[in-house]
Amino acid sequence: MAIRTCTWTFQNTSQNIWFQLLMLGLVTAFLPIRAIGQASWEEFATRRTVLLSHAKDGLVFLKANSSEKEMEQAGWIQNASFFYYTGLGEQPSAILVLDGPRDETHLFVPPDPFSFGVPVAGLSESPGDDTAQRLGLTSVRPWDAFETFIQERLDAGVARLYIERPRPPESTGVPEGMQTVSGSMKLWEESVRASFPDVGIESISSIVNEMRWVKSPNEIEILRKNAHMTTS
């Protein structure tokens, strides 16, 4: 009887450990890798204003990372350009739209994501005026409204769409001529083309890269702090 009790205790303890590890995975699946410090909301707004000035004839799309954290990653990694213009390091799958003709900024956010089949509540920003005001945006909307919004702007005469393209080009994951199966930015562009086939799509990457190359005094200080942390 003692042996059975001991065996059950060991199995029960083992199960508890695996359960705790599973719950840890649920919590950390979308957690970002954090740096020391962050630009102010005013600095993010200034960046958006500058980018808008380069797209007066169209709409700029910047896409958040849609993938879950890989097991070998220390934390979930946001798309760098999306973060550069929003400051949202933890927001998965959202779409930032910069409306050049109207000088407006709109964020389209998905419902809370799932991790291991369980929703991660509170990770996605909530649509509404309060969130838009806090983030310094014209509006924050549910992403189900994205296609309708864009089509209305195209019908109103918007001439083109601007997206970010990777450098170097991503692999499609298949032989030439077959439908793309890999490369998040490539898949995103193909999705945009399929949804809005009658409008021209151009790259905004050169402007984005030029802006990100020039660091503000605050960014330089953040880089110094992060460099010091890695050497101390």
Side-chain angles (χ1 to χ4, degrees):
M1 188 67 178
I3 295 177
R4 286 185 179 180
T5 302
C6 182
T7 302
W8 180 88
T9 301
F10 172 78
Q11 291 175 342
N12 187 54
T13 302
S14 178
Q15 290 171 355
N16 285 338
I17 292 173
W18 280 111
F19 177 77
Q20 292 172 20
L21 289 173
L22 174 60
M23 295 306 299
L24 179 63
L26 293 176
V27 172
T28 62
F30 279 95
L31 292 180
I33 293 178
R34 299 179 181 273
I36 296 177
Q38 179 172 307
S40 65
W41 294 118
E42 291 77 12
E43 187 166 344
F44 290 117
T46 298
R47 294 170 182 174
R48 293 192 294 268
T49 299
V50 173
L51 190 58
L52 276 166
S53 69
H54 293 278
K56 288 301 183 182
D57 61 344
L59 308 177
V60 179
F61 296 168
L62 292 172
K63 185 75 168 61
N65 184 10
S66 299
S67 63
E68 295 186 3
K69 182 182 79 69
E70 300 293 338
M71 293 297 293
E72 65 271 14
Q73 291 177 340
W76 184 75
I77 302 175
Q78 180 61 279
N79 174 276
S81 295
F82 179 87
F83 177 78
Y84 183 79
Y85 291 101
T86 66
L88 299 176
E90 303 180 19
Q91 173 64 65
S93 302
I95 307 167
L96 177 67
V97 177
L98 306 182
D99 190 329
R102 288 184 175 175
D103 199 29
E104 294 178 346
T105 54
H106 305 277
L107 184 67
F108 295 83
V109 294
D112 287 325
F114 281 76
S115 178
F116 297 95
V118 178
V120 185
L123 189 58
S124 193
E125 294 287 347
S126 299
D129 294 339
D130 290 344
T131 305
Q133 183 176 5
R134 174 170 56 84
L135 299 178
L137 302 169
T138 306
S139 73
V140 177
R141 311 180 184 211
W143 73 346
D144 289 344
F146 173 74
E147 281 192 88
T148 299
F149 175 87
I150 300 304
Q151 192 58 59
E152 289 176 351
R153 296 298 293 124
L154 296 178
D155 293 342
V158 169
R160 57 181 49 84
L161 305 177
Y162 293 96
I163 63 170
E164 187 181 17
R165 290 194 176 120
R167 49 172 192 175
E170 295 174 314
S171 170
T172 62
V174 291
E176 185 176 354
M178 294 184 66
Q179 186 173 348
T180 301
V181 299
S182 68
S184 60
M185 296 179 76
K186 179 68 174 175
L187 289 168
W188 167 236
E189 180 173 350
E190 291 187 1
S191 178
V192 171
R193 288 189 183 278
S195 297
F196 312 106
D198 300 324
V199 63
I201 299 177
E202 298 184 13
S203 175
I204 197 72
S205 294
S206 61
I207 303 301
V208 171
N209 294 337
E210 182 179 340
M211 289 184 63
R212 291 180 56 194
W213 182 257
V214 180
K215 304 301 181 185
S216 69
N218 184 53
E219 287 178 291
I220 293 173
E221 182 60 25
I222 291 172
L223 289 171
R224 285 197 180 113
K225 289 180 178 179
N226 278 276
H228 177 74
M229 181 183 69
T230 63
T231 58
S232 60

